[in-house]
Amino acid sequence: MRKTRERIFNFIIKILSLISLFLLAFIIIFIFRESLSFFMEVPILKFVSGRDWNPLDSPDKLSILPIIAGTIYTSLVGIIIALPIGVGFSVVLSSYTSDNMRRIIRGIVDILAGIPSVVYGFIGLLVLVKFFEIRFSFPTGESILAGGIILSIMMLPYIISTCDESMEKVYKEHSQQSNALGVSKSYMIRNLILPKSKKCILAAVVLALGRGMGETMAVMMVIGNAPLMPRLLDKGQTIPSLIALEMGMAEVGSLHYHALFASGFILMIILIVINIALHFVKLKIEL
Amino acid sequence: MDILKINNLFAGYGDKKVLKDVSMNIKRNKITAIIGPSGCGKSTFLTTLNRMIEENGGNFTGEILYKDEDILSYEKDSIRKNIGMVFQKPTPFPFSIYKNLTYAPIYYGITSKAELDKIVETNLKEAGLFDEINKDLHMLATKLSGGQQQRLCIARALTAKPEVLLLDEPCSALDIKNIQNIEEMLLRFSRDYTIIIVTHNLAQAKRISDYTAFILDGELIEYEKTEKIFTNPIDSRTKEYIEGIYG
Amino acid sequence: MDILKINNLFAGYGDKKVLKDVSMNIKRNKITAIIGPSGCGKSTFLTTLNRMIEENGGNFTGEILYKDEDILSYEKDSIRKNIGMVFQKPTPFPFSIYKNLTYAPIYYGITSKAELDKIVETNLKEAGLFDEINKDLHMLATKLSGGQQQRLCIARALTAKPEVLLLDEPCSALDIKNIQNIEEMLLRFSRDYTIIIVTHNLAQAKRISDYTAFILDGELIEYEKTEKIFTNPIDSRTKEYIEGIYG
Amino acid sequence: MREKIKDSILKVWITICVIIVFTIVMFIFGYIFKNGVGSINLEFILSDPKGIPIGSEGGIFPAIIGSLFLMLIACILAFILAISTSIYTVFYCRSKRMEGVIHLIIQSMAGIPSIILGLFGYTLLVLYLNLGRSLLSGGITLGIMIFPYIQVRIEKTLREVEINIVEASYALGVSKSYTIYKLILPMCRADIISTITMAGGYAMGAAAPIILTAAVIFAPIPKSLSSPVMALPFHLYILTGEGISLEKAYGTALVLIMILLILNIVSIILNMKRRGDR
Amino acid sequence: GKQEAGQVFKSEITYNGSSTLAPVISALATEFMEEYVTWNKVDPDFPEENISIYVSAGGSGAGVKAALEGTSDFGMLARELKDEEKEKLGDIETFTLGIDALTVSINPQNPLNEIKDNLTLEEVKKIFSGEYKYWDDVDNSLDHKEIVVVIRDLGGGAHGVFQKKVMGDTEVREDAIQAPSMGALVTKLMENKDAIGYASFGMVNQNEGKIIPLKVDGIKPTVETIVNGTYKISRPLIVVKKGSLSKEEKAFMDMVTSTKGSEIIEKMGFVPVK
Ligand SMILES: Nc1ncnc2c1ncn2[C@@H]1O[C@H](COP(=O)(O)OP(=O)(O)OP(=O)(O)O)[C@@H](O)[C@H]1O
Ligand SMILES: Nc1ncnc2c1ncn2[C@@H]1O[C@H](COP(=O)(O)OP(=O)(O)OP(=O)(O)O)[C@@H](O)[C@H]1O
Ligand SMILES: [Mg+2]
Ligand SMILES: [Mg+2]
Ligand SMILES: O=P([O-])([O-])[O-]
């Protein structure tokens, strides 16, 4: 009786895990399948190295180098802004606050993750973009920078929640020892907590980068969506915003439609490559 | 000469009183053992001496004089520099051995590579570790064996150049060999340092200490030359404890 | 009568050999103490007896007979049911006291409320806890004091109705009062159970055990009536250990 | 001396970080509050959208209910899958490499644009499985979206369970499944709940995955799993996208944030209670 | 029910497609459901079941997709059906409900507003193609400030119309801002003094005074000029059905195409087709 129950439990766990993994593999296959017919017509190399995107024109004009660059650029700007802020904030949370305080602050920061991207986009458009236009008299405030800033805000809760728990652990484990040596708290943060948190900071980067590169609506509303080679203060375009922008209108089954899937596929490949790369960096750090 | 003078010390955590009216003087360059049943306040006593108790949410009243000055009149950092501490569980920082040992010196302003190298070498030698791990200075300290880790932690405490060294059950997780190593080291140290060691191992206290203090339920029951305490204790409770009536 | 017979037991973790050729028989309804310096393999020995060693990544060769049958011929679950274990650090589950004590019985198929209540009551009484916490059965077990937690863990081990009870330094984190409580309890138990206790406290071994085994570096040096071992050990190492030469 | 300067730089840096984060949080909450509070009243919360174009008057009640239902389905689905996968990787999976592959797949998933998940949901659920544009299809799609997020965090929680306690359970002679089900999961309950609330918030705020799979401009409170639903983020999307009513859009956003706030408070309280218990 | 043989009665009708048209149909549907509640009140032949009409908005392309794949009963488009699409759909019924014009609009604070209310088609083309980069290229008296061109997504219906009717073979300047929705485009025009873009006629009417539509070649976009075709930059609002309508679908579409439908379409700012 107990044995059977045990067996059933094991079976269910395994089946459900298998289902989730299959589901995920399925999505990857789905995207690949939808992109395949495009890649038959436009070679993948040309697709990722060409600079023109005009879906109304010939297949020659379907290539996304500037958009790939824009995606990476925007996410990088987001990370570069969000990482120091998020890490700094996590340090404070882990080393300077009481347990209850930390929990409350973390809860509030987590709400940032639940605000719909449309709302971020709108605030970005009405506040940030406007601010650039008035303050710096840009002709238009829509820019990679604006996209990066909005993204950085959206990344913050992910970075903070990934880092501060691990930092808290390091703090609890070593603070006594460090104090007993008579060194200051900030010395400990600089020489112990931060170096020891490299790995979790890296994990935060992975998570935030995934989030940032996949973000659609918010970026779409503040980046200008012009498929130019990206420059910080100029308009740009990202793959998810391209897809969201044009998918609704693209004629089903057309080359354009499949091209959009193809760009989604490329995005996924980029993410997987980044993930694998960071995975190895992580292994290195462990040593 | 008395390096530490403790007068009417009361200590506790929040409402909980742990130490009750402890007064004793610690002799310079001697080994003082603190014994007593679990929970009697031995660790609390140690952490009070270098004000680590404040970090654990505790507090104390009464007077503690370090070199005849109130420890409250020193900066927290500097009292901890002078009164080093080693904990029961060895917890090296997750860096290389070298970095573990330069952690404090760099903070105290030493920057020259040669000087740092020298500090690492001297202290490893002091802790009797130098020959064992000389070649692997850049190995991760957490990979050392338990006993080596404990000795490394002691060496690390020495890098801050303390005058007093507090040890909280430094041998409880170790095996015979390591215990012997550490005991030898402590005996060697007593030339240069004042040592206060908490131990639940009476045999150990007997072997290495010059003075022994017996604490029971937060009260200092007896504080005497070790020989005397183990052969001819005054208080009957001390006698009972030593004879193994309590744990 | 011998409830456990151990023949040529070797045990270790991966490449690391810990126990070397240990052979001994455990007497039914007696208290057997295992003593020896830290790291000598006491815990490893206990965990081998109920095959918990496999959970820790260890393995063993040799023969262990429980009631004259090889423990490998029992199911893992059932050998652990028969040979219960209590660890050094009290590990109550973070549930109510009641739930801690019904955890195993429910697994073994007891569902009636009345029966469960009965089990809780009996075992709490056995562990001498019933009067203390009778009213608070639905209080969180983690809120109990250290000694109460340890006694609860013992009561919990009893709920699986073991015949043998392994205790790994059950008193090392406790104070005098609790140690006394637990010792009394163990003495009471020896009517119904076979007890094997690991302790670093020689006085404790002397006080409560019928037989004592001294392990050094994974080897069983001496195994004798407790009286005999403490008054007239055969092996010189045993003598040295008991006289406090080693830690 | 140099160390003192470095210490000061660090202090300045972390102070700035705290100021920035608090400013951002206050600003975003404040901005939405300021712009949205005007349109919030009981009628807005409790009545159907009205007016021409629809949504320019009236309330958002069906959207609130719709969103809550979508979140519920998404959370249940994602939870079941995530908990199984986590249990598998933590307690059953013996090969490190297999674990690596699982992690890689799951992390790659986390970055797929939500609109593509929407299309996937549409193709698989609406088209092939013929579930229709419905609460169920949308909930499943959102569930797939939050799955990686929940999985990563639950796995982390499970790995942090004290090994001593688990061993104590094995020592009682009970099986692994009983230990997981009766001991480990209850111990992690609060953490799991707080993870789910957070992920639920994320699901509730996502518009793209439900545009093709569930959301409609107007629908009464759903009667069954196969009814299409209104949803807050989609409502927001239509209100802003077609410029129907910005005021109502901010109101909608504010309601959404308040719901998230309530969910988070509940989860924080659960968490605190548990720690208090220890 | 006295349904025709082989046809099962469905109390549910679903729409998907253009987000421009979706609020219109949705408004009509709400009205219809409120008026009749159950089908038997629409027609005594119908069973007594609650009327459910669901409108969703995934864009014109999604409308065609949904109609084609049968996941929706009707598709909504804010553009002409393309030939390939017609081919794929096969047998269809289409209803043109109204026309949406694209007005070339600017911010009321744009100085251009004070000197002229008209641009020639050629000027519009030059502005959008980037040949005129600064406002003083359009008229010397204006400031030397960059023109901010706002368009909809290149692959979309609105842009398709603009491309065909205004730009011809000339490409729109590469760095034009592509707004993700008409709402965003209009918001941009309202927020940026130097912006110019093709706002939907419906949106202009909803935001009177906040954005200013210009005449093109002297023709002001009004209901008349749009209906009679003199104002050229316009697109149809279409509903398509694959195959033929069931009775209940017809009942609703009758209402959509009735005067009442036209009124609502007009109220939304679009131009109804009578
Ligand atoms: N941080 C703390 N907060 C509250 N109470 C504490 C804290 N640390 C210790 N205590 C309590 O103070 C009392 C004395 O503890 P202390 O650690 O000093 O005992 P000890 O003599 O070192 O015991 P052991 O031999 O077990 O280490 C105990 O009752 C303990 O529960
Ligand atoms: N899980 C494990 N994996 C590898 N080695 C282990 C493991 N557990 C114990 N050991 C090693 O086995 C040896 C014996 O350990 P054991 O825990 O049995 O000692 P012990 O006699 O119980 O010591 P103590 O009195 O300190 O508890 C030690 O050298 C220890 O490092
Ligand atoms: Mg202590
Ligand atoms: Mg042990
Ligand atoms: O959604 P559209 O109206 O732009 O097709």
Side-chain angles (χ1 to χ4, degrees), chain C residues 13 16 18 37-44 56 169:
Chain C
Y13 305 90
K16 177 164 195 165
V18 178
S38 188
C40 70
K42 303 183 294 292
S43 301
T44 305
N56 303 335
E169 303 189 5

Side-chain angles (χ1 to χ4, degrees), chain B residues 13 16 18 36-45 56-57 88 168-169, chain C residues 172-173:
Chain B
Y13 304 90
K16 176 164 195 165
V18 179
S38 187
C40 71
K42 303 182 297 292
S43 301
T44 305
F45 178 69
N56 304 339
Q88 172 167 11
D168 194 352
E169 302 188 3
Chain C
S172 74

